[in-house]
Structures are given as C-alpha cells and as structure tokens.
Amino acid sequence: MDPVEIEAKTLIQKSKTPSNDYVINPYTGCVLGCAYCFASFAGRQFGRSVKEWGDYLYVKKNAVELARAELTKMPERKRRGTILLSSVTDPYQGHEAKYRLTRGILRELQRVEYPGLVRILTKSPVVTRDIDLLTSLPRAEVGMTVTTTDDKVSRWLEVRAPLASRRLRTLAELTEAGIPTYAFVGPLLPHFATRPELLDDLFGRLVDTGVREVFMEHINLKRYIRERMDQVLADEPEDVREAYLQARTKEHREQLDAIVAELLDKHGLRLRFEEVVHHDDNDALRQRLMSSG
C-alpha cells in the first residue's frame, strides 16, 4: 500500500477528547487497521469507506512547516494546553520511519520550549527513537495501547500492529529512560467479563513495566464499527460472538467495571478519569472535567 502525500491547510486542532486541549494528526488513516478502531470514519473526506480502514494513508507532507508556523503564532496563554499526538491515527506507524513527521513536530515543540503537556498515544515501539526529544521537552508523557498480553489475540484484532509483548517492552524502555508513561487499555475486551484472570495478568504485566496509571474505555460498538467487527467475528465460536453481543449492554459494562475496580486495587494502579470511559458518556465526562478545572 503506497501512501498519498497531501498538503494540509492546518495542523494543530482543538481537541474533542477529554483532558486534551489540542490534537495533532500528522497522517489521515492508519495502516495498523485495528478491527475495533473508532477512527475508521476518518477517511470520509477522501471518499474512503469504513471497510477500507487500514488500506490507505494520507501523509501531511507539510506538517512540520505548519507546526512551526502555528506554534509561532500561538499566544503564550494557549501554549499551556495539553497537545495529543494523535487521536485518529498512530503517530508512529511504519511510514513515520520514512517521513519523520512526528519527530519534526516534536522538534518544533522543543524549539519553542512548549510549556504545556505533550501527550503521545501509540502502539508502536518506534516511539523510542524520539526519547531524546521527549526527555528534552518541559512536560511529556507517552501512552501505549495494550489490550491483552496474548499475542494471538493481538494479531486477531490488531492485525498489522506491533505485538502486545513488544508494546510491553516498549513501556519498560520508556520508563527506564525517565519518561512518564501510562497504558491505554482500550478497548476493554469483552471476554474479560468471563475470564478476569486475563485482565489480572495484563495489569500485573503493566505494573512490571513501571506503569502506574491506566486509561480505560469500554469497546465502542456503534453501527459503523460493528460493520468491521462482524467480519472479524464471523468465523469465531458462538461464545466469542455472544460476548461481543453482550458488550453492548449496560449490565455487561457494570460487570466489567466491578472486575476492573477490584483488580486496580490489587495492583495499585490509578484509573485515569476515575472510571472506565464509555463513548456514549464522553460528553458528560467532558463537562465534569471542565467544571472541576
């Protein structure tokens, strides 16, 4: 799959995600193509369907230049905001090795000594390439998405993403380098409701890497995501299909919430936002964060 190079008009956008003020997406699309990804809508502006998620990538070749220009114009008071890289793409997917857009953007943030928090969210060990820049920023943290410790499950749902075991090693490397880390356990896989020992193992492995905080989301099964998930689940046993069907119910989420609370306490992990986020509740969460800030 050959990426398409484009000229973007803007780069630093106001964020719609809780706790982030701004977001930077150097790419549109994501070749990792995870079956459950909510961002599979992102290619609509280029006429791409949800079913094509993972099969296209648009590279904002002028992203570094835009970052330089927009940061230069940004008022000092706005520079205190949290910037997320990234929300609807992975900033360290394979083509970053060639284009180096994320590295260039980090360099621009370093140049202006950006005082706000620079937050990374990725599934890729390529992030360790930029440890030098991340440690030189006034404030930076890296989140690694880890949904399982089972590489077979990882390969099933996250077909082209780095294996879960490699992501765990990456978290340990980042922690050793002195970079604050967190784990994004999102989505919270439905089968943990009947196999809590698997979530217990995941939390234990995260603690072993030095992680002390997790951000968790229930699986988003809106219609456009189910179109992709149904293809993945078609050949699975009935009990697996049933687990994902039940995941759409409030009772299932409450059952998982209770399991999560017990295991977080056992492992001494903090839960970001103090709850497992459900996409339908994002607006309410955002309002609570604004009122508490």
Side-chain angles (χ1 to χ4, degrees):
M1 189 274 293
D2 294 324
V4 179
E5 296 182 357
I6 62 171
E7 292 272 351
K9 294 181 180 179
T10 60
L11 186 72
I12 304 174
Q13 304 287 339
K14 288 186 177 180
S15 174
K16 297 180 180 179
T17 58
S19 83
N20 301 305
D21 299 289
Y22 309 105
V23 63
I24 295 176
N25 290 296
Y27 306 95
T28 297
C30 181
V31 299
L32 303 187
C34 301
Y36 53 68
C37 188
F38 85 97
S40 51
F41 65 84
R44 288 183 298 193
Q45 60 181 306
F46 298 106
R48 299 288 192 166
S49 71
V50 168
K51 293 181 179 180
E52 292 179 274
W53 183 248
D55 296 331
Y56 63 85
L57 184 70
Y58 293 87
V59 178
K60 301 175 184 178
K61 63 179 183 179
N62 61 331
V64 177
E65 290 76 11
L66 283 174
R68 181 181 305 124
E70 293 175 11
L71 285 169
T72 299
K73 294 178 182 178
M74 183 180 285
E76 188 64 32
R77 60 182 176 80
K78 290 189 175 182
R79 288 188 186 180
R80 299 188 185 95
T82 296
I83 291 182
L84 172 67
L85 283 111
S86 299
S87 62
V88 293
T89 191
D90 193 306
Y92 286 103
Q93 59 190 291
H95 290 85
E96 169 64 16
K98 173 184 177 181
Y99 288 101
R100 300 170 71 86
L101 297 182
T102 298
R103 182 168 179 84
I105 292 164
L106 290 176
R107 195 179 293 282
E108 293 304 318
L109 289 163
Q110 177 198 49
R111 181 182 62 83
V112 299
E113 297 181 338
Y114 188 83
L117 177 63
V118 177
R119 175 176 289 150
I120 305 291
L121 180 58
T122 182
K123 288 179 178 156
S124 173
V126 175
V127 66
T128 59
R129 177 202 64 187
D130 292 342
I131 284 176
D132 61 327
L133 292 176
L134 292 166
T135 53
S136 69
L137 289 167
R139 297 176 63 205
E141 69 172 10
V142 176
M144 183 70 58
T145 302
V146 188
T147 56
T148 179
T149 60
D150 187 336
D151 283 344
K152 291 182 180 179
V153 174
S154 174
R155 185 56 71 228
W156 173 52
L157 290 173
E158 305 160 337
V159 181
R160 290 187 291 274
L163 291 173
S165 56
R166 184 66 185 92
R167 290 180 237 167
L168 288 166
R169 291 200 302 274
T170 300
L171 278 169
E173 292 170 29
L174 292 164
T175 301
E176 187 176 351
I179 297 170
T181 60
Y182 68 98
F184 177 39
V185 184
L188 182 58
L189 298 181
H191 65 267
F192 287 149
T194 55
R195 298 287 304 278
E197 71 275 10
L198 299 179
L199 186 59
D200 189 7
D201 180 54
L202 174 56
F203 283 175
R205 295 282 297 278
L206 290 173
V207 170
D208 288 344
T209 71
V211 163
R212 295 295 178 264
E213 185 175 32
V214 292
F215 170 28
M216 304 185 73
E217 283 189 352
H218 286 291
I219 192 167
N220 184 342
L221 289 174
K222 292 181 179 177
R223 184 181 299 275
Y224 75 96
I225 299 171
R226 295 203 307 271
E227 289 180 21
R228 290 173 50 78
M229 285 298 302
D230 286 347
Q231 297 176 38
V232 173
L233 292 168
D235 297 326
E236 293 302 313
E238 183 177 351
D239 62 326
V240 174
R241 296 198 306 272
E242 180 64 21
Y244 280 80
L245 181 62
Q246 291 300 317
R248 296 164 57 187
T249 68
K250 181 179 179 181
E251 291 74 18
H252 173 89
R253 293 194 298 272
E254 290 177 345
Q255 181 184 2
L256 271 178
D257 285 346
I259 293 170
V260 166
E262 180 179 346
L263 292 176
L264 289 172
D265 184 63
K266 173 183 176 180
H267 292 282
L269 284 165
R270 295 187 301 274
L271 180 61
R272 188 164 287 191
F273 305 139
E274 299 182 349
E275 66 178 288
V276 182
V277 176
H278 180 229
H279 275 262
D280 289 346
D281 297 331
N282 267 352
D283 288 342
L285 174 60
R286 190 176 297 110
Q287 285 298 115
R288 288 205 305 277
L289 288 171
M290 289 174 64
S291 62
S292 63

